[in-house]
Structure formats: structure tokens, C-alpha cells
Amino acid sequence: MSKVKYYYDPESLSYRKIERKKRTTFKYAAMFILASAIFGFIFVFIASQYVESPKERALKRELQNMQLQYGILNKKMEHAEAVLANIEDRDNNIYRVYFEANPIPEEQRKAGFGGINRYKQLEGYDNSKLITESSKRLDILQKQIVVQSKSLDEIAKLAEEKEKLLAAIPAIQPVNNKNLTRMASGYGMRSDPFTKARKMHWGMDFTAPRGTPIYATGDGIVVRADARATGYGKHIRIDHGYGYMSLYAHLYKYNVKQNQKVKRGDLIGFVGSTGRSQAPHLHYEIFKDGKRINPINFYYGSLTAEEYAELLENASLENQSLD
């Protein structure tokens, strides 16, 4: 129960009861409500600045997680770009140089995307710039990977072709060293065994006993195995492709026939002395694009450095050939 208040009336020299008017009561109530509202607003405002709501804490954790994931994604992209850059460098400066292919221009590898705005749907968000840049970076990285993938496919085909070329090039001695009596005559001007005149000797003569095995010096197809060429007697010609052909002359007998495919090291015939020959030996020639070339440059697949040096010294001597 509220207290009753009085005031002193000097005119009547007595205390009179204070009567509160309804208007005054309403005024006080309104002031109280307003003050309460202002205080509440100030409290809420201060609380909102220093105290996080559960929703805000959840959003903050979500934002921190997104920032962490973006940092991880950024590091992964940096790592992928570094690895790809290393592959591109080896592709241009090692693989393509080795296989004599033109390097891929940098502007082709790093090219972006022209035309319409591919990232318009990403605009209008708080982090639109960040999202757009990341998307562009990923798209360019994806395009670089596609370019590099196609390049490696091309390199694989070149390697396969190179492997065939290396297998086809005549690269071994046609007669094993253990079966040789001696290297009788090399490529160049030599004395003819019949006329004694100096003339060009277009191959190398390997002296060996009759029946010594003769081996194909590279992969290819036997295009001739006959005695229809003047002076060569029984001889074999192997087409190795890529402009290379090898010839094996004065054979005792064949171990292959025309149109037969052979591999390097296959037994193709035996040493003899047929045709224009002074003694059992193998006359060996190599053709490149239809022209005879010195076979001395094609023994890297079967001789040691010492054996090759000895063969080179013997081949350089201007002695008498055997055919």
C-alpha cells in the first residue's frame, strides 16, 4: 500500500492530503516506460558489441572454418602450380628437345578465357572478389593440365617412334668378335685384290671362318636374299626403315628369306666366299637415303670403348680389301 503524502497549508494552518492527478500519474508512467526502453536499448547495444549470441558464435566458427579451408585450398593450388611448372619446364627443355619437337609457347600454356564473363553468377556476394579470383585460378590451372596432358601424349608417341628408330638403326657388329680372325679392310680407298689398283671400298670386310654366324644389325625387313648382284655373290639386304639399309655379302648360305621380318641380333646367314671374293669373309655395307656411309659409326651397341678404338685403328689402315 502506497504511502499517503501531505503538505502544509499556511492559509488554513493545517496539513492537507496531496491528491495525485491522473494526468500526472500517466506522465510519470510514460516517463518510466521511456526510460526503461532507453536503458534496455543501451543495454542491448552494449551487449551486442561485447557479448556474442549463439548464432553469432556459430557464424563466426563457420567463417573461421571457411578461412581455414581457403588457406588449405590456396596451398594446394600453389603446390599444384609448382609441380606443373616443373613438368612444363622438363617438357619444353628436356623431352621436346630430345625428341626434336617444338616447345609449347608460354602464352599458350598460361592463356586465360576470353569472351563472355564466366564468373558473373559469383558477383554480388561479400567475398565475390575472392571467390572469383580462386575460380579463375582453378580454371587456368585446369586448362594448363589439359595442355600438358596433350603434350605428354604427343611425347609418348614420339618416344614410341624414337624407340622404333633406335631399334631399327644398324647398331651392332654383324659378326661377333670371338668369331673374327681379323678386321681385314675398312671403308675408303683400298687396293683391289685382283687388279691391285686403288679404288673406293664401300664397306668393311670382317675375316672369319666359313660358316661363322652373321647377325642382323637392326630391326627391319629382308628385301633381298639372292646372288643376283654383281660381285656380291650370295648376299642379304635388310631395309630398316627411316632411310637405313644394311648389306651382307659373300655368304655361304642364308638363314632368312625375302620379306621376312628380323630383329637386331637375329641369325640371318653364314660367312662364305661367294662372288668376287678372295677368301672367306663378310663384306658389310650401310646405306642412308640410298647413299653408302661408313659402317664404323654404327657399332655402339656391341663394342666396348677399347674394342671400338682398336676397330677404328684397323679400319683406318689403307691395306688390301678382300673383294
Side-chain angles (χ1 to χ4, degrees):
M1 184 176 179
S2 62
K3 293 181 179 181
V4 178
K5 294 182 179 181
Y6 297 88
Y7 73 95
Y8 179 73
D9 186 1
E11 292 182 0
S12 61
L13 301 175
S14 61
Y15 290 94
R16 293 182 179 275
K17 186 177 180 180
I18 298 175
E19 298 290 344
R20 180 175 292 178
K21 297 181 180 179
K22 290 182 179 182
R23 183 177 179 183
T24 303
T25 301
F26 178 77
K27 179 180 178 182
Y28 287 153
M31 290 178 64
F32 176 78
I33 293 171
L34 179 61
S36 299
I38 293 173
F39 177 78
F41 175 78
I42 293 173
F43 177 80
V44 170
F45 177 77
I46 294 174
S48 66
Q49 297 298 314
Y50 299 100
V51 180
E52 293 180 344
S53 68
K55 185 176 181 180
E56 287 176 329
R57 285 196 295 271
L59 290 173
K60 186 176 181 180
R61 284 196 299 269
E62 185 177 349
L63 180 60
Q64 289 174 341
N65 182 60
M66 290 179 65
Q67 290 174 337
L68 176 63
Q69 294 300 324
Y70 175 76
I72 294 173
L73 176 63
N74 192 52
K75 287 183 179 180
K76 286 182 177 180
M77 284 195 292
E78 288 177 356
H79 179 69
E81 288 168 344
V83 171
L84 185 59
N86 180 262
I87 295 173
E88 290 173 346
D89 180 66
R90 285 186 292 169
D91 184 30
N92 273 354
N93 300 311
I94 299 178
Y95 307 146
R96 289 184 164 272
V97 171
Y98 179 77
F99 293 112
E100 300 177 354
N102 293 326
I104 298 176
E106 192 70 12
E107 55 271 18
Q108 182 179 341
R109 290 186 182 275
K110 307 293 184 183
F113 299 89
I116 61 173
N117 185 1
R118 297 166 55 89
Y119 311 101
K120 189 174 183 179
Q121 71 277 11
L122 301 177
E123 297 175 355
Y125 299 97
D126 292 340
N127 297 303
S128 289
K129 185 177 180 180
L130 179 65
I131 297 171
T132 301
E133 289 302 318
S134 297
S135 297
K136 285 181 180 179
R137 194 173 173 185
L138 281 172
D139 286 345
I140 292 175
L141 183 60
Q142 183 179 16
K143 184 176 181 180
Q144 288 179 256
I145 291 173
V146 170
V147 171
Q148 185 57 51
S149 177
K150 291 181 179 179
S151 175
L152 290 177
D153 288 341
E154 181 184 353
I155 292 297
K157 291 180 181 178
L158 290 173
E160 183 179 354
E161 190 65 22
K162 192 80 169 183
E163 185 178 5
K164 292 179 181 178
L165 169 62
L166 293 175
I169 293 176
I172 65 172
Q173 197 168 269
V175 180
N176 286 336
N177 264 349
K178 64 180 181 179
N179 297 323
L180 285 180
T181 304
R182 64 190 179 94
M183 207 293 294
S185 182
Y187 178 94
M189 298 301 294
R190 297 292 184 268
S191 175
D192 185 278
F194 299 101
T195 66
K196 306 305 178 183
R198 290 182 79 249
K199 70 174 187 177
M200 185 64 186
H201 186 244
W202 295 105
M204 296 183 70
D205 291 342
F206 295 93
T207 304
R210 183 173 181 267
T212 299
I214 300 170
Y215 303 98
T217 55
D219 295 0
I221 298 175
V222 177
V223 292
R224 290 188 65 172
D226 56 55
R228 296 194 301 270
T230 304
Y232 287 132
K234 291 183 178 180
H235 75 290
I236 295 171
R237 301 188 195 210
I238 298 176
D239 185 355
H240 302 280
Y242 308 97
Y244 289 97
M245 180 177 290
S246 57
L247 181 148
Y248 314 77
H250 311 302
L251 275 60
Y252 161 60
K253 64 178 179 179
Y254 310 111
N255 195 54
V256 292
K257 57 185 178 181
Q258 189 176 7
N259 298 324
Q260 180 178 333
K261 290 183 179 180
V262 294
K263 294 286 186 181
R264 178 183 292 151
D266 284 353
L267 177 62
I268 59 173
F270 302 90
V271 171
S273 188
T274 58
R276 192 176 186 273
S277 171
Q278 192 181 50
H281 74 287
L282 171 68
H283 176 79
Y284 177 62
E285 296 182 12
I286 293 180
F287 297 78
K288 179 66 171 74
D289 298 326
K291 296 181 180 180
R292 294 181 177 96
I293 57 178
N294 194 344
I296 194 67
N297 300 314
F298 292 85
Y299 299 129
Y300 56 84
S302 61
L303 301 179
T304 64
E306 293 77 12
E307 290 173 335
Y308 181 75
E310 183 181 356
L311 181 66
L312 185 62
E313 181 180 357
N314 293 334
S316 63
L317 299 175
E318 285 201 26
N319 52 8
Q320 179 178 284
S321 65
L322 294 177
D323 48 37

